[in-house]
Coordinates of all heavy atoms in Angstrom, one line a residue:
M284 N 14.7 12.0 4.3 CA 13.8 11.9 3.1 C 13.0 13.1 2.9 O 12.5 13.7 3.9 CB 12.9 10.7 3.2 CG 13.6 9.4 3.5 SD 14.3 8.7 2.1 CE 13.1 7.4 1.7
S285 N 12.9 13.6 1.7 CA 12.0 14.7 1.4 C 10.9 14.2 0.5 O 11.0 13.2 -0.2 CB 12.7 15.9 0.8 OG 13.2 15.5 -0.5
E286 N 9.8 14.9 0.5 CA 8.7 14.5 -0.3 C 8.1 15.7 -1.1 O 8.1 16.9 -0.7 CB 7.6 14.0 0.6 CG 6.3 13.6 -0.1 CD 5.4 12.7 0.8 OE1 5.8 12.3 1.9 OE2 4.3 12.3 0.3
K287 N 7.7 15.4 -2.4 CA 7.2 16.4 -3.2 C 5.9 15.9 -3.8 O 5.8 14.8 -4.2 CB 8.2 16.6 -4.4 CG 8.1 17.9 -5.1 CD 9.4 18.2 -5.9 CE 9.4 17.4 -7.1 NZ 10.3 18.0 -8.2
I288 N 4.9 16.8 -3.8 CA 3.6 16.4 -4.4 C 3.3 17.4 -5.5 O 3.2 18.6 -5.2 CB 2.5 16.4 -3.3 CG1 2.8 15.4 -2.2 CG2 1.1 16.0 -4.0 CD1 1.8 15.4 -1.1
N289 N 3.0 16.9 -6.7 CA 2.7 17.7 -7.8 C 1.3 17.4 -8.4 O 0.9 16.2 -8.4 CB 3.7 17.6 -9.0 CG 5.0 18.2 -8.7 OD1 5.9 17.5 -8.1 ND2 5.2 19.5 -8.9
C290 N 0.6 18.3 -8.9 CA -0.6 18.1 -9.6 C -0.4 17.1 -10.7 O 0.6 17.3 -11.5 CB -1.2 19.4 -10.2 SG -2.6 19.1 -11.2
G291 N -1.2 16.1 -10.8 CA -1.0 15.1 -11.9 C -1.4 15.6 -13.3 O -1.1 15.0 -14.3
N292 N -2.1 16.7 -13.3 CA -2.6 17.3 -14.5 C -1.6 18.4 -15.1 O -1.1 18.2 -16.2 CB -4.0 17.9 -14.3 CG -4.6 18.4 -15.6 OD1 -4.6 17.6 -16.6 ND2 -5.1 19.6 -15.6
C293 N -1.3 19.4 -14.3 CA -0.5 20.5 -14.8 C 0.9 20.6 -14.1 O 1.8 21.3 -14.6 CB -1.2 21.8 -14.6 SG -1.2 22.4 -12.9
G294 N 1.1 19.8 -13.1 CA 2.5 19.7 -12.5 C 2.7 20.8 -11.4 O 3.8 20.9 -10.9
M295 N 1.7 21.5 -11.1 CA 1.7 22.5 -10.0 C 2.3 21.9 -8.7 O 1.8 20.8 -8.3 CB 0.3 23.1 -9.8 CG 0.2 23.9 -8.5 SD 0.5 25.7 -8.8 CE 0.3 26.3 -7.1
L296 N 3.2 22.5 -8.1 CA 3.8 22.0 -6.8 C 2.8 22.2 -5.7 O 2.4 23.4 -5.4 CB 5.1 22.7 -6.5 CG 5.8 22.2 -5.2 CD1 6.4 20.8 -5.4 CD2 7.0 23.2 -4.9
L297 N 2.4 21.2 -5.0 CA 1.4 21.3 -4.0 C 2.0 21.1 -2.6 O 1.5 21.6 -1.6 CB 0.3 20.2 -4.2 CG -0.4 20.3 -5.5 CD1 -1.3 19.0 -5.7 CD2 -1.3 21.5 -5.6
Y298 N 3.1 20.4 -2.5 CA 3.8 20.2 -1.2 C 5.2 19.9 -1.5 O 5.6 19.1 -2.4 CB 3.1 19.0 -0.5 CG 3.9 18.7 0.8 CD1 3.6 19.4 2.0 CD2 4.9 17.7 0.9 CE1 4.3 19.1 3.2 CE2 5.6 17.5 2.0 CZ 5.3 18.2 3.2 OH 6.0 17.9 4.3
F299 N 6.1 20.5 -0.7 CA 7.5 20.1 -0.7 C 8.0 20.2 0.7 O 7.9 21.2 1.3 CB 8.3 20.9 -1.7 CG 9.8 20.6 -1.7 CD1 10.2 19.4 -2.2 CD2 10.7 21.4 -1.1 CE1 11.5 19.0 -2.2 CE2 12.1 21.0 -1.1 CZ 12.5 19.8 -1.7
G300 N 8.6 19.1 1.2 CA 9.2 19.2 2.6 C 9.5 17.8 3.1 O 9.8 16.9 2.3
E301 N 9.5 17.7 4.4 CA 9.8 16.4 5.0 C 8.8 15.4 4.5 O 7.6 15.6 4.3 CB 9.6 16.5 6.6 CG 10.7 17.2 7.3 CD 12.0 16.5 7.1 OE1 12.1 15.3 7.4 OE2 13.0 17.1 6.6
E302 N 9.3 14.1 4.4 CA 8.4 13.0 4.1 C 7.3 13.0 5.1 O 7.5 12.9 6.3 CB 9.2 11.7 4.1 CG 8.4 10.6 3.6 CD 9.1 9.3 3.7 OE1 10.3 9.3 4.1 OE2 8.5 8.2 3.4
I303 N 6.1 13.1 4.6 CA 4.9 13.3 5.5 C 4.8 12.1 6.5 O 4.5 12.3 7.7 CB 3.6 13.5 4.6 CG1 3.7 14.8 3.9 CG2 2.4 13.4 5.5 CD1 2.7 15.0 2.9
K304 N 4.9 10.9 6.0 CA 4.7 9.7 6.9 C 5.7 9.7 8.0 O 5.5 9.0 9.0 CB 4.9 8.4 6.0 CG 3.5 8.0 5.5 CD 3.7 6.7 4.8 CE 4.0 6.9 3.3 NZ 4.1 5.8 2.5
R305 N 6.9 10.3 7.8 CA 8.0 10.2 8.8 C 8.0 11.4 9.7 O 8.9 11.4 10.6 CB 9.3 10.1 8.1 CG 9.4 8.8 7.4 CD 10.8 8.4 7.0 NE 10.8 7.1 6.5 CZ 11.5 6.1 7.0 NH1 12.2 6.3 8.1 NH2 11.5 4.9 6.4
R306 N 7.1 12.3 9.6 CA 7.2 13.5 10.4 C 6.7 13.1 11.8 O 5.6 12.6 12.0 CB 6.2 14.6 9.9 CG 6.7 15.2 8.6 CD 5.6 16.0 8.0 NE 5.2 17.1 8.8 CZ 5.4 18.4 8.4 NH1 5.9 18.6 7.2 NH2 5.0 19.4 9.1
L307 N 7.6 13.3 12.8 CA 7.2 12.9 14.2 C 6.7 14.0 15.0 O 6.1 13.9 16.0 CB 8.5 12.3 14.8 CG 9.1 11.1 14.2 CD1 10.3 10.6 14.9 CD2 8.1 9.9 14.2
Y308 N 6.9 15.2 14.4 CA 6.3 16.4 15.1 C 5.6 17.2 14.0 O 5.6 16.8 12.8 CB 7.5 17.2 15.7 CG 8.6 17.5 14.8 CD1 8.7 18.7 14.1 CD2 9.6 16.6 14.6 CE1 9.7 19.0 13.2 CE2 10.7 16.9 13.8 CZ 10.7 18.1 13.1 OH 11.8 18.3 12.2
M309 N 5.1 18.4 14.3 CA 4.3 19.1 13.4 C 3.2 18.3 12.7 O 3.1 18.1 11.5 CB 5.2 19.7 12.2 CG 6.3 20.6 12.7 SD 5.8 22.3 13.0 CE 5.7 22.8 11.3
R310 N 2.4 17.7 13.6 CA 1.3 16.9 13.1 C 0.2 17.6 12.4 O -0.9 17.0 12.1 CB 0.7 16.1 14.3 CG 1.7 15.1 15.0 CD 2.0 14.0 14.0 NE 2.9 13.1 14.7 CZ 2.6 11.8 15.1 NH1 1.4 11.4 15.0 NH2 3.5 11.1 15.7
A311 N 0.4 18.9 12.1 CA -0.6 19.6 11.3 C -0.9 19.0 10.0 O -2.0 19.2 9.4 CB -0.1 21.1 11.1
I312 N 0.1 18.2 9.5 CA -0.1 17.6 8.2 C 0.0 16.1 8.4 O 1.1 15.5 8.4 CB 0.9 18.0 7.1 CG1 0.9 19.5 7.0 CG2 0.6 17.3 5.8 CD1 2.0 20.1 6.1
P313 N -1.1 15.4 8.8 CA -1.0 14.0 9.1 C -0.7 13.0 7.9 O -0.1 12.0 8.1 CB -2.3 13.6 9.7 CG -3.3 14.7 9.2 CD -2.4 15.9 9.0
D314 N -1.2 13.4 6.7 CA -0.9 12.6 5.6 C -1.2 13.4 4.3 O -1.5 14.5 4.3 CB -1.8 11.3 5.6 CG -3.3 11.7 5.7 OD1 -3.7 12.8 5.4 OD2 -4.1 10.8 6.2
E315 N -0.9 12.7 3.2 CA -1.0 13.4 1.9 C -2.5 13.9 1.6 O -2.6 15.0 1.0 CB -0.7 12.4 0.7 CG 0.8 12.2 0.5 CD 1.4 11.1 1.5 OE1 0.6 10.5 2.3 OE2 2.6 10.8 1.4
A316 N -3.5 13.1 2.1 CA -4.8 13.5 1.9 C -5.1 14.9 2.5 O -5.9 15.7 2.0 CB -5.8 12.5 2.4
A317 N -4.5 15.1 3.7 CA -4.6 16.4 4.4 C -4.0 17.6 3.6 O -4.6 18.7 3.6 CB -4.0 16.3 5.8
V318 N -2.9 17.3 2.9 CA -2.3 18.3 2.1 C -3.3 18.7 1.0 O -3.6 19.9 0.7 CB -1.0 17.8 1.4 CG1 -0.5 18.9 0.4 CG2 0.0 17.5 2.5
L319 N -3.9 17.7 0.3 CA -4.8 18.0 -0.8 C -6.1 18.6 -0.3 O -6.7 19.5 -0.9 CB -5.2 16.6 -1.5 CG -4.0 15.8 -2.0 CD1 -4.4 14.5 -2.6 CD2 -3.1 16.7 -2.9
A320 N -6.5 18.2 0.9 CA -7.7 18.9 1.5 C -7.5 20.4 1.8 O -8.4 21.2 1.7 CB -8.1 18.2 2.8
G321 N -6.2 20.7 2.1 CA -5.8 22.1 2.3 C -6.1 22.9 1.0 O -6.2 24.2 1.1
Y322 N -6.1 22.3 -0.1 CA -6.4 23.0 -1.4 C -7.8 22.7 -1.8 O -8.2 23.0 -3.0 CB -5.4 22.4 -2.5 CG -4.0 22.8 -2.3 CD1 -3.0 21.9 -1.8 CD2 -3.5 24.1 -2.7 CE1 -1.7 22.3 -1.6 CE2 -2.2 24.5 -2.5 CZ -1.3 23.5 -2.0 OH 0.0 23.9 -1.8
G323 N -8.6 22.2 -0.9 CA -10.0 21.9 -1.3 C -10.1 20.7 -2.3 O -11.1 20.6 -3.0
N324 N -9.1 19.9 -2.3 CA -9.0 18.7 -3.2 C -9.1 19.1 -4.7 O -9.5 18.4 -5.5 CB -10.1 17.7 -2.8 CG -9.8 17.0 -1.5 OD1 -8.7 16.6 -1.2 ND2 -10.8 17.1 -0.6
K325 N -8.6 20.4 -4.9 CA -8.5 20.9 -6.3 C -7.2 21.5 -6.5 O -6.7 22.2 -5.6 CB -9.6 21.9 -6.5 CG -11.0 21.4 -6.9 CD -11.9 22.4 -7.5 CE -12.1 23.6 -6.5 NZ -13.1 24.6 -7.0
C326 N -6.7 21.5 -7.7 CA -5.4 22.2 -8.0 C -5.7 23.7 -8.1 O -6.6 24.1 -8.8 CB -4.9 21.7 -9.3 SG -3.4 22.6 -9.9
P327 N -4.9 24.5 -7.3 CA -5.2 25.9 -7.4 C -4.9 26.5 -8.8 O -5.3 27.6 -9.1 CB -4.2 26.5 -6.3 CG -3.2 25.4 -6.1 CD -3.8 24.1 -6.4
R328 N -4.1 25.8 -9.6 CA -3.7 26.4 -10.9 C -4.7 26.0 -12.0 O -5.3 26.8 -12.7 CB -2.3 26.0 -11.3 CG -1.9 26.7 -12.6 CD -0.7 25.9 -13.2 NE 0.6 26.4 -12.6 CZ 1.7 25.8 -12.8 NH1 1.8 24.6 -13.4 NH2 2.8 26.3 -12.3
C329 N -4.9 24.7 -12.1 CA -5.7 24.2 -13.3 C -7.1 23.7 -12.8 O -8.0 23.5 -13.7 CB -5.0 23.1 -14.0 SG -4.9 21.5 -13.1
G330 N -7.4 23.6 -11.5 CA -8.7 23.3 -11.1 C -9.0 21.8 -11.1 O -10.2 21.4 -10.8
A331 N -8.1 21.0 -11.5 CA -8.3 19.5 -11.6 C -8.5 19.0 -10.2 O -7.9 19.4 -9.3 CB -7.1 18.8 -12.3
A332 N -9.5 18.0 -10.1 CA -9.7 17.4 -8.9 C -8.4 16.6 -8.5 O -7.8 15.9 -9.3 CB -10.9 16.4 -9.0
Q333 N -8.1 16.7 -7.2 CA -6.9 16.0 -6.7 C -7.2 14.9 -5.7 O -8.1 15.1 -4.8 CB -6.0 17.1 -5.9 CG -5.6 18.3 -6.8 CD -4.7 17.9 -7.9 OE1 -3.6 17.4 -7.7 NE2 -5.1 18.2 -9.1
S334 N -6.6 13.8 -5.9 CA -6.7 12.7 -4.9 C -5.3 12.1 -4.8 O -4.4 12.4 -5.6 CB -7.7 11.6 -5.4 OG -7.1 10.9 -6.5
T335 N -5.1 11.3 -3.8 CA -3.8 10.7 -3.6 C -3.4 9.8 -4.8 O -2.3 9.4 -5.0 CB -3.7 9.9 -2.3 OG1 -4.8 9.0 -2.2 CG2 -3.7 10.8 -1.1
D336 N -4.4 9.4 -5.6 CA -4.2 8.5 -6.7 C -3.8 9.4 -8.0 O -3.1 8.9 -8.9 CB -5.4 7.7 -7.1 CG -5.6 6.6 -6.0 OD1 -4.6 6.1 -5.4 OD2 -6.8 6.3 -5.8
S337 N -4.3 10.6 -8.0 CA -4.1 11.4 -9.3 C -2.9 12.3 -9.2 O -2.3 12.6 -10.2 CB -5.4 12.2 -9.6 OG -5.5 13.3 -8.6
V338 N -2.4 12.6 -8.0 CA -1.3 13.5 -7.9 C 0.0 12.7 -8.1 O 0.0 11.4 -7.9 CB -1.2 14.2 -6.5 CG1 -2.3 15.2 -6.4 CG2 -1.1 13.3 -5.4
K339 N 1.1 13.4 -8.4 CA 2.4 12.7 -8.4 C 3.1 12.9 -7.1 O 3.4 14.0 -6.7 CB 3.3 13.3 -9.6 CG 2.9 12.8 -10.9 CD 3.8 13.3 -12.0 CE 3.4 14.7 -12.4 NZ 4.2 15.3 -13.6
I340 N 3.4 11.8 -6.4 CA 4.1 11.9 -5.2 C 5.5 11.3 -5.3 O 5.7 10.2 -5.8 CB 3.4 11.1 -4.1 CG1 2.0 11.7 -3.9 CG2 4.2 11.1 -2.8 CD1 1.1 10.9 -2.9
E341 N 6.5 12.2 -5.0 CA 7.9 11.8 -5.2 C 8.6 11.8 -3.8 O 8.6 12.8 -3.2 CB 8.6 12.8 -6.1 CG 9.2 12.3 -7.3 CD 9.9 13.4 -8.1 OE1 9.3 14.2 -8.7 OE2 11.2 13.4 -8.0
I342 N 9.2 10.7 -3.4 CA 9.9 10.7 -2.2 C 11.4 10.5 -2.5 O 11.8 9.6 -3.2 CB 9.4 9.6 -1.2 CG1 7.9 10.0 -0.8 CG2 10.3 9.4 0.0 CD1 7.2 8.9 0.0
K343 N 12.2 11.4 -2.0 CA 13.6 11.4 -2.3 C 14.5 11.3 -1.1 O 14.2 12.0 -0.1 CB 14.0 12.6 -3.1 CG 13.7 12.5 -4.5 CD 14.3 13.6 -5.3 CE 13.9 13.5 -6.8 NZ 13.9 14.8 -7.5
R344 N 15.6 10.5 -1.2 CA 16.5 10.5 -0.1 C 17.4 11.8 -0.1 O 17.7 12.2 -1.2 CB 17.4 9.3 -0.3 CG 18.2 8.9 1.0 CD 19.0 7.7 0.8 NE 18.2 6.6 0.3 CZ 18.7 5.4 -0.1 NH1 20.0 5.2 0.0 NH2 17.9 4.4 -0.4
R345 N 17.7 12.3 1.0 CA 18.5 13.5 1.1 C 20.0 13.2 0.8 O 20.5 12.2 1.4 CB 18.4 14.1 2.5 CG 17.8 15.4 2.5 CD 17.5 15.8 3.9 NE 16.1 15.9 4.1 CZ 15.5 17.0 4.4 NH1 16.2 18.1 4.7 NH2 14.2 17.1 4.6
A346 N 20.6 14.0 0.1 CA 22.1 13.8 -0.2 C 22.9 14.1 1.0 O 23.9 13.5 1.3 CB 22.5 14.6 -1.4
V347 N 22.5 15.1 1.7 CA 23.3 15.6 2.9 C 22.6 15.2 4.2 O 21.4 14.9 4.2 CB 23.4 17.2 2.9 CG1 24.3 17.6 1.8 CG2 22.1 17.8 2.8
H348 N 23.4 15.1 5.2 CA 22.9 14.7 6.5 C 22.0 15.7 7.1 O 22.2 16.9 7.0 CB 24.1 14.5 7.5 CG 23.6 13.9 8.8 ND1 23.2 12.6 8.9 CD2 23.5 14.5 10.0 CE1 22.9 12.4 10.2 NE2 23.1 13.5 10.9
E349 N 20.9 15.3 7.6 CA 19.8 16.2 8.2 C 20.4 16.9 9.4 O 20.9 16.2 10.3 CB 18.6 15.4 8.5 CG 17.3 16.1 8.1 CD 16.2 15.1 8.2 OE1 16.3 14.0 7.7 OE2 15.2 15.5 8.9
S350 N 20.2 18.1 9.5 CA 20.6 18.9 10.7 C 19.6 18.8 11.8 O 18.4 18.7 11.5 CB 21.0 20.3 10.3 OG 19.9 20.9 9.8
Ligands
ZN1737 ZN1 -3.0 21.4 -11.8

């Protein structure tokens, strides 16, 4: 599964990669809130305040087998 987080206001891509909840290693990003905190809880493009409720979180199943 992959995960994508976009600003709920302007659509700026804030995170794209492994589904955060399923990451068993690389604990540098424990959850979505930590991703937003990395941006100071603000969108770097439009400056809108970001929270796990305001952003768009998309989780997608991978079409190909994970290597
Ligand atoms: Zn934005």
Side-chain angles (χ1 to χ4, degrees):
M284 305 279 259
S285 67
E286 179 163 355
K287 201 163 76 157
I288 303 176
N289 287 92
C290 172
N292 187 48
C293 74
M295 167 90 183
L296 183 68
L297 301 172
Y298 174 86
F299 179 71
E301 282 299 304
E302 184 183 357
I303 291 167
K304 268 183 271 184
R305 294 197 173 240
R306 290 165 68 114
L307 299 176
Y308 51 95
M309 300 276 286
R310 295 292 181 107
I312 306 175
D314 56 22
E315 283 85 358
V318 174
L319 305 179
Y322 291 101
N324 294 308
K325 277 195 303 188
C326 174
R328 185 198 272 165
C329 71
Q333 303 292 301
S334 74
T335 49
D336 292 328
S337 71
V338 295
K339 279 186 276 186
I340 299 176
E341 239 184 284
I342 292 171
K343 276 190 185 155
R344 194 179 305 176
R345 243 170 244 243
V347 289
H348 186 71
E349 221 169 312
S350 57

